[in-house]
Amino acid sequence: MKLRIESYKKQVQKWPKEGYHLMAQYNDEEVIVYQSYRKAIGHFAVENQRFGGPFSLNRMTWIKPNFLWMMYRNGWGQKEGQEVVLAVHLRRKAFENYLPQSVYSTYDITQYGDREKWKEEVARSSARLQWDPDHDPYGDKLPRKAIQIGLRNDLIKSYAKEDILEIEDISDFVAEQFEFVKAKNLDKLMTPAEQPLLFDDPELNKHLKLQ
């Protein structure tokens, strides 16, 4: 596994406690995002290092750069249809290309002013943006917000193939760590090394509400 992992208990001491933060594992070349799928989709993606086969290019797909947010949504890989947990090594340039195009999935007067204008932007956009409460390993809500990005149309086509550097199946790692969560033994819990991501473009940071 190429993911860098660290002790959860050590990381949580450094992470911001509240606010809007894009938590991720990243470097100058890539950003890691997570997805969970049924076996047919997940195994095809790993074997072919792209999304295809039963994966639909005609519906929106949501990517999550925050590992624990993914674990909350997929129940640590236990939910039906989300058994195969993928770490997608995404080209950073591609990730940064999605974000300026993103439109918030719920109306925000501070971002759009006119509701009809927002509806028009949602209808024609290829990227959707959503902030939700982040969660701890047990699934309890946190004051900090977690981001997810929805892709469709031209962006899902590029995401499915050329934007990807590598796809890892981390299902075994997830199952192993879930045992520590069930045992309430967070001293042994390891999670991907993550930190807040800010961009060089102040307008992009403003659009994303990053702090």
Side-chain angles (χ1 to χ4, degrees):
M1 193 171 72
K2 293 186 178 180
L3 273 180
R4 292 181 291 107
I5 59 173
E6 293 182 9
S7 161
Y8 165 75
K9 292 290 284 287
K10 289 183 178 179
Q11 289 199 79
V12 77
Q13 298 301 317
K14 301 180 290 183
W15 289 343
K17 305 300 181 187
E18 58 185 22
Y20 293 80
H21 299 277
L22 200 167
M23 302 297 296
Q25 182 169 137
Y26 61 91
N27 56 36
D28 291 341
E29 302 299 323
E30 67 177 19
V31 176
I32 309 297
V33 298
Y34 303 97
Q35 294 193 290
S36 290
Y37 287 108
R38 56 189 172 90
K39 292 180 180 179
I41 294 177
H43 290 168
F44 180 98
V46 174
E47 290 167 6
N48 295 276
Q49 290 296 293
R50 63 178 176 86
F51 289 100
F55 178 84
S56 175
L57 295 174
N58 299 314
R59 55 185 296 184
M60 184 169 286
T61 192
W62 290 87
I63 58 175
K64 301 168 179 64
N66 179 322
F67 176 78
L68 286 178
W69 173 234
M70 183 75 259
M71 295 306 99
Y72 166 70
R73 291 303 299 267
N74 70 7
W76 288 89
Q78 300 300 301
K79 290 185 179 179
E80 184 177 357
Q82 300 193 50
E83 301 89 354
V84 181
V85 186
L86 304 177
V88 181
H89 296 249
L90 191 60
R91 296 181 193 278
R92 180 162 173 168
K93 287 183 178 180
F95 185 72
E96 293 187 10
N97 177 55
Y98 305 154
L99 298 174
Q101 304 180 57
S102 63
V103 177
Y104 280 80
S105 58
T106 55
Y107 173 65
D108 184 340
I109 192 171
T110 64
Q111 293 277 337
Y112 302 101
D114 182 77
R115 184 181 290 271
E116 291 306 313
K117 176 186 175 184
W118 166 73
K119 288 182 179 179
E120 291 174 3
E121 291 196 27
V122 167
R124 64 172 177 258
S125 71
S126 293
R128 202 69 52 82
L129 177 64
Q130 187 167 312
W131 286 101
D132 297 281
D134 205 347
H135 291 72
D136 69 13
Y138 299 126
D140 295 326
K141 285 184 180 181
L142 299 173
R144 184 178 64 240
K145 298 293 186 180
I147 197 170
Q148 57 178 333
I149 300 104
L151 305 174
R152 65 176 182 174
N153 302 333
D154 57 322
L155 291 186
I156 195 174
K157 293 175 183 176
S158 65
Y159 168 74
K161 189 175 181 181
E162 57 259 33
D163 295 349
I164 292 171
L165 292 170
E166 185 173 353
I167 301 175
E168 288 188 275
D169 183 347
I170 61 168
S171 306
D172 290 344
F173 168 74
V174 167
E176 179 184 72
Q177 300 310 308
F178 186 45
E179 292 301 313
F180 300 129
V181 174
K182 289 191 293 183
K184 299 188 182 302
N185 188 358
L186 298 188
D187 287 334
K188 290 188 176 181
L189 178 64
M190 303 293 288
T191 57
E194 295 180 353
Q195 58 185 336
L197 174 56
L198 281 171
F199 301 99
D200 294 333
D201 182 354
E203 289 301 314
L204 179 56
N205 291 329
K206 181 180 178 181
H207 172 60
L208 299 175
K209 304 181 182 180
L210 297 180
Q211 299 172 328

